[in-house]
């Protein structure tokens, strides 16, 4: 038996870097808007997958940036999948010490904000062997130069401060592709900066079908090519006016107490101008506090700034503290209640893992069949 030589992978076009070009961005934006509209009438057509690395506790940046959006999709009736990306923690750090605690903290936050295990499948990456096994065939579909060029890999590597790149870091886009494709998610909420990642997933899905797909039958692809859902990003900064991030000590975590929240807001950075205005370009710190009050009270930021006027940063901080604590109070109460039942939390995760395994096993079976690796 002779094998036809496989066509070499064509990674020359730099499709991924192109995904950040203006034309490509415009296409993604248009497609996303189309889906957003269709979601209203046909939520049942969509399976959404997203996730978080369990590296810390969720904070208000996550909450307004992505969590709220997930909840909205669940409420619309979209089949929602949320992955706790525990294996991804070790892309850039050595210790696995606090991973279990972080996994359960994430899960508790998810449930506290209203993700409902009956409608949203919450699972941990490491607990789904068949998902991870997709990595092997998928790795055959990418080249190392393509991975090195991936803007997201580059950015992650730059952020790692001179640390040698691990193989796991280099292949980040491939495991992310496995995460999305194992359950055949067709929409992935991302920020614009994450588009190259999603493009890599689309490339993997297409190449799988070109190379191994159901005996060359392209009319029934094994994998759908997922689209980005470019949700409007609420750019909430930390209490010092820079990106909200645990390592900068400027976060307000969902799990904090009302007192801890008050303290964090008290030490927030403001400026010398007593008059409060909402002017994000020129007064990022003050405007961010106004924004925080606006987001948590559902009011207009300009109106809030005007109302405080010459009241100064003391009045502003008092208002922000009250507004944040009031908004988070029910969530925090629910969180505290969930924490009293660790066995219940483990059960929720076990059920999510079981559902993910069922789907992953079925997909892996399809993959093996397409690849003619069925020997029984
Ligand atoms: N990388 C994402 C993060 O840092 C988490 C993640 C893992 C993810 N796999 C994914 C997000 C697949 C979307 C789709 O938070």
């Amino acid at each position: 038996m002779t094998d036809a030589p496989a066509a070499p992978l064509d990674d020359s076009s730099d499709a991924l870097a192109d995904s950040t070009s203006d034309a490509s961005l415009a296409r993604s934006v248009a497609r996303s808007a189309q889906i957003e509209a269709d979601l209203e009438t046909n939520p049942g057509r969509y399976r959404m997958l997203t996730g978080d690395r369990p590296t810390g506790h969720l904070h208000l940046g996550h909450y307004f940036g992505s969590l709220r959006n997930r909840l909205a999709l669940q409420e619309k009736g979209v089949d929602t999948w949320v992955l706790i990306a525990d294996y991804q923690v070790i892309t850039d750090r050595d210790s696995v010490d606090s991973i279990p605690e972080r996994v359960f903290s994430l899960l508790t936050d998810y449930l506290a904000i209203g993700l409902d295990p009956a409608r949203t499948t919450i699972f941990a990456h490491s607990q789904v062997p068949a998902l991870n096994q997709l990595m092997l065939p998928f790795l055959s579909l990418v080249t190392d130069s393509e991975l090195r060029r991936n803007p997201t890999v580059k950015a992650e590597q730059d952020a790692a401060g001179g640390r040698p790149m691990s193989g796991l870091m280099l292949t980040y886009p491939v495991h992310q592709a496995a995460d999305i494709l194992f359950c055949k998610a067709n929409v992935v909420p991302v920020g614009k900066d994450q588009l190259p990642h999603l493009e890599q997933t689309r490339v993997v899905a297409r190449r799988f079908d070109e190379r191994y797909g159901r005996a060359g039958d392209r009319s029934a692809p094994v994998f759908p090519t997922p689209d980005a859902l470019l949700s409007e990003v609420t750019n909430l900064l930390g209490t010092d006016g820079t990106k909200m991030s645990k390592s900068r000590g400027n976060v307000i975590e969902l799990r904090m107490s009302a007192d801890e929240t008050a303290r964090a807001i008290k030490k927030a950075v403001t400026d010398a101008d007593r008059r409060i205005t909402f002017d994000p370009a020129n007064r990022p710190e003050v405007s961010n506090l106004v924004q925080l009050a606006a987001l948590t009270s559902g009011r207009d930021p300009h109106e809030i700034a005007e109302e405080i006027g010459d009241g100064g940063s003391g009045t502003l901080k008092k208002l922000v503290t009250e507004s944040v604590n009031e908004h988070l109070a029910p969530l925090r109460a629910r969180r505290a209640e969930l924490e009293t039942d660790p066995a219940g939390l483990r059960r929720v995760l076990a059920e999510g893992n079981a559902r993910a395994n069922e789907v992953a096993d079925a997909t892996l079976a399809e993959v093996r069949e397409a690849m003619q690796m069925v020997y029984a």
Side-chain angles (χ1 to χ4, degrees):
M1 193 166 100
T2 52
D3 276 344
L9 294 175
D10 177 14
D11 68 353
S12 58
S13 70
D14 214 348
L16 307 183
D18 286 352
S19 67
T20 54
S21 74
D22 288 351
S24 170
L25 192 59
R27 256 196 316 277
S28 300
V29 170
R31 177 81 187 120
S32 173
Q34 217 173 44
I35 293 171
E36 205 96 46
D38 192 45
L39 276 174
E40 299 300 324
T41 39
N42 297 303
R45 283 189 190 155
Y46 297 92
R47 174 171 285 178
M48 181 280 262
L49 179 126
T50 186
D52 301 287
R53 297 200 302 155
T55 53
H57 303 285
L58 291 178
H59 53 63
L60 284 178
H62 298 120
Y63 181 68
F64 288 111
S66 57
L67 297 173
R68 244 184 2 165
N69 183 40
R70 285 178 207 174
L71 185 63
L73 290 169
Q74 171 191 281
E75 296 305 316
K76 282 187 181 133
V78 172
D79 184 11
T80 307
W81 289 59
V82 179
L83 155 124
I84 300 179
D86 50 357
Y87 269 149
Q88 275 194 359
V89 174
I90 48 173
T91 48
D92 64 357
R93 53 193 87 191
D94 303 317
S95 170
V96 291
D97 281 354
S98 45
I99 292 181
E101 181 213 332
R102 299 276 156 87
V103 166
F104 282 100
S105 175
L106 259 188
L107 175 64
T108 313
D109 281 332
Y110 290 159
L111 301 179
I113 66 158
L115 290 182
D116 169 10
R119 291 175 288 163
T120 293
T121 305
I122 303 172
F123 65 102
H125 205 182
S126 65
Q127 305 304 300
V128 189
L131 181 170
N132 289 292
Q133 205 174 322
L134 293 177
M135 273 292 277
L136 292 173
F138 286 1
L139 280 168
S140 74
L141 299 170
V142 297
T143 68
D144 83 304
S145 66
E146 195 167 53
L147 292 172
R148 283 175 210 284
R149 284 201 301 260
N150 184 297
T152 318
V153 170
K154 276 202 215 157
E156 294 275 347
Q157 185 56 22
D158 290 346
R163 222 183 122 97
M165 175 142 62
S166 70
L168 191 62
M169 173 71 94
L170 180 64
T171 54
Y172 202 110
V174 188
H175 33 99
Q176 202 128 312
D179 298 345
I180 296 166
L181 296 178
F182 96 92
C183 67
K184 304 191 178 181
N186 54 2
V187 285
V188 183
V190 290
K192 285 183 184 150
D193 58 324
Q194 295 279 316
L195 278 173
H197 250 350
L198 191 64
E199 190 52 36
Q200 181 75 73
T201 299
R202 293 163 59 88
V203 165
V204 166
R206 273 197 298 268
R207 285 186 187 157
F208 184 90
D209 278 298
E210 280 159 19
R211 185 161 273 208
Y212 310 124
R214 309 192 202 275
D217 179 3
R218 303 277 301 282
S219 64
V222 175
F223 295 109
T225 44
D227 284 300
L229 209 48
L230 292 161
S231 41
E232 208 174 298
V233 197
T234 309
N235 206 5
L236 188 64
L237 301 172
T239 51
D240 59 356
T242 71
K243 186 176 152 62
M244 194 181 279
S245 136
K246 174 102 183 161
S247 58
R248 298 172 196 247
N250 64 2
V251 305
I252 298 169
E253 292 173 350
L254 301 181
R255 62 170 193 147
M256 279 179 173
S257 69
D259 282 349
E260 286 168 323
T261 304
R263 276 200 293 279
I265 293 170
K266 200 164 193 168
K267 64 175 210 264
V269 178
T270 52
D271 58 34
D273 191 349
R274 184 165 177 82
R275 187 167 180 79
I276 301 304
T277 54
F278 184 64
D279 179 5
N282 297 309
R283 301 182 72 189
E285 300 93 349
V286 164
S287 302
N288 187 56
L289 285 171
V290 175
Q291 167 82 300
L292 194 45
L295 286 169
T296 46
S297 63
R299 295 180 57 203
D300 178 65
H302 295 281
E303 198 185 290
I304 291 175
E306 204 148 302
E307 208 173 273
I308 299 173
D310 290 323
S313 58
T315 311
L316 173 61
K317 286 181 179 181
K318 188 161 169 286
L319 181 84
V320 175
T321 303
E322 279 167 12
S323 180
V324 169
N325 280 338
E326 192 178 318
H327 186 78
L328 292 181
L331 185 159
R332 285 170 167 166
R334 172 125 180 81
R335 202 182 190 291
E337 190 188 311
L338 288 159
E339 273 182 330
T340 64
D341 182 16
L345 290 170
R346 276 196 297 277
R347 206 164 44 241
V348 167
L349 189 56
E351 281 165 14
N353 290 339
R355 208 176 315 156
N357 270 301
E358 216 173 280
V359 169
D361 288 345
T363 302
L364 184 60
E366 267 184 88
V367 161
R368 285 179 177 149
E369 201 165 316
M371 297 178 80
Q372 305 173 56
M373 292 177 175
V374 181
Y375 309 116

